[in-house]
Amino acid sequence: MPIPESQFEVWKKTGADKGSKEASDKIERLLRLDRSPAEQSDGNYDIRRQGSYKNHTYTRGSSDVDIIAKLTSAWSRDLSALSDEDRERYERHHSSADYGYDEFSQDVWQWLTKKFDYDVISWSGKAIEISRESGRINVDVDLVPCVEHRRYTSYPSYGEGVYDTGMAFHPRSSTEKIVNYPGIHYDNGCGKHGNYKETVRIFKNARDHYNDYFDTVWTIGAHSYGIECLIYNVPDSILKRSSRSDRFVEVLEFLGNADLSTFDQVSEMEKLFGSSNTQWDISEAETLIDRLAEMWNDWYDKRKNAQLLH
């Protein structure tokens, strides 16, 4: 028996905002204080929310807010699409910045450790993690210090060149550069059919429901960013279906028959699947599709057993 429409009424909803804007504003106020090293530097930077809260795809299980502090007065660059002539012209016009990513990220980290006790703040991977247990914010914060990234497509003899803007950073204690394009991601997501973000929430909640309540020894490990990108590749002709149950099964049918290797990320700046540090393992997407199809087909029996067990 398929999943009833009433279940999709639950899964379509966002979670509570839980003060994500207030937490972001508080972090920005701290970094903008006159005594802040970043504020005293010659650099310019922006602070903004990213991820599911920014994209309005957060669900009840969302437990933290993603924030970036992006240095904009310096940038990393990708010149691979330029002609030899354009590349030489760029190199003549630019030199290394005195205040770059390394200095900025350390200034942000050292200043925040003065404002939060060490037992509630850490930086061991991609993001500086600040716990709401500090009592100063009411939602956990993941803050990524980064620098503007420019992917140049031309550099003529006049102007500043043509480029796509993203962000670049590397995890702490690593030289591995990570580049993504959250602004383009956001704009492209807003350009999809109006049901796109709701459908993303449905699939994220369905994943969580499968893991928490479905009567199976298996789990779904698909991350939320991957689900956003997967649904982005679904045609609007399917997303526009008003019946959420019909839309759910048609999305699964489309994904089950599609050549996933051709799928783009939401930014359309890189393929979704591959071996780079910003791409996804196609087997995890296939597992998501197969197990949600299983839940659709076996909802009554296995959900009933799960209710007894929980």
Side-chain angles (χ1 to χ4, degrees), residues 14-279:
T14 62
D17 193 310
K18 297 182 297 188
S20 66
K21 184 179 186 303
E22 289 82 356
S24 176
D25 289 346
K26 182 165 289 187
I27 296 299
E28 178 163 12
R29 286 196 297 271
L30 289 175
L31 291 175
R32 297 289 187 190
L33 290 173
D34 290 342
R35 300 187 308 279
S36 163
E39 195 67 15
Q40 291 182 348
S41 75
D42 293 330
N44 298 319
Y45 59 96
D46 292 332
I47 301 170
R48 62 187 65 183
R49 289 187 294 171
Q50 298 295 341
S52 61
Y53 279 100
K54 170 71 173 179
N55 299 327
H56 205 63
T57 58
Y58 60 96
T59 60
R60 182 176 56 83
S62 300
S63 59
D64 54 36
V65 59
D66 297 319
I67 302 173
I68 65 169
K70 183 171 74 171
L71 182 68
T72 57
S73 52
W75 57 88
S76 72
R77 76 285 191 279
D78 178 354
L79 308 180
S80 60
L82 295 185
S83 66
D84 290 342
E85 182 180 6
D86 280 2
R87 187 179 298 110
E88 291 173 3
R89 185 178 298 116
Y90 174 91
E91 298 289 0
R92 287 198 305 270
H93 291 176
H94 297 284
S95 59
S96 298
D98 293 330
Y99 186 76
Y101 167 76
D102 290 340
E103 293 83 6
F104 174 69
S105 60
Q106 285 303 311
D107 280 349
V108 169
W109 165 244
Q110 290 173 7
W111 180 247
L112 290 177
T113 58
K114 295 180 184 296
K115 299 301 176 182
F116 293 93
D117 294 336
Y118 274 102
D119 59 341
V120 297
I121 186 171
S122 63
W123 188 17
S124 59
K126 296 179 180 179
I128 297 172
E129 299 177 1
I130 308 172
S131 171
R132 63 177 176 269
E133 297 300 323
S134 66
R136 302 186 64 181
I137 50 178
N138 54 7
V139 60
D140 295 339
V141 167
D142 284 352
L143 171 69
V144 177
C146 60
V147 66
E148 182 172 304
H149 179 77
R150 297 181 178 183
R151 183 174 177 178
Y152 282 87
T153 54
S154 68
Y155 201 89
S157 56
Y158 55 88
E160 289 297 317
V162 179
Y163 54 86
D164 297 302
T165 303
M167 56 179 273
F169 65 99
H170 56 75
R172 198 177 193 200
S173 301
S174 170
T175 58
E176 180 185 30
K177 185 177 179 180
I178 298 175
V179 175
N180 54 46
Y181 299 86
I184 301 175
H185 177 113
Y186 176 78
D187 291 342
N188 287 353
C190 290
K192 285 290 283 184
H193 189 274
N195 288 339
Y196 163 65
K197 295 182 180 183
E198 176 187 275
T199 306
V200 171
R201 296 194 298 270
I202 286 172
F203 271 76
K204 288 166 67 171
N205 276 315
R207 170 204 60 192
D208 294 342
H209 190 98
Y210 183 98
N211 289 340
D212 292 342
Y213 300 112
F214 205 56
D215 188 15
T216 176
V217 298
W218 308 109
T219 58
I220 300 172
H223 51 68
S224 295
Y225 177 78
I227 292 175
E228 279 197 40
C229 294
L230 204 62
I231 303 302
Y232 179 77
N233 287 271
V234 175
D236 283 359
S237 59
I238 295 175
L239 294 179
K240 73 179 183 181
R241 293 296 297 269
S242 58
S243 166
R244 297 180 179 91
S245 57
D246 288 348
R247 192 192 318 156
F248 183 80
V249 72
E250 288 187 30
V251 168
L252 286 176
E253 289 173 351
F254 169 79
L255 295 175
N257 294 317
D259 180 0
L260 300 182
S261 67
T262 65
F263 280 17
D264 289 323
Q265 296 182 27
V266 179
S267 68
E268 300 184 10
M269 299 298 289
E270 189 175 22
K271 291 297 181 185
L272 176 55
F273 301 104
S275 58
S276 82
N277 58 24
T278 53
Q279 291 179 305

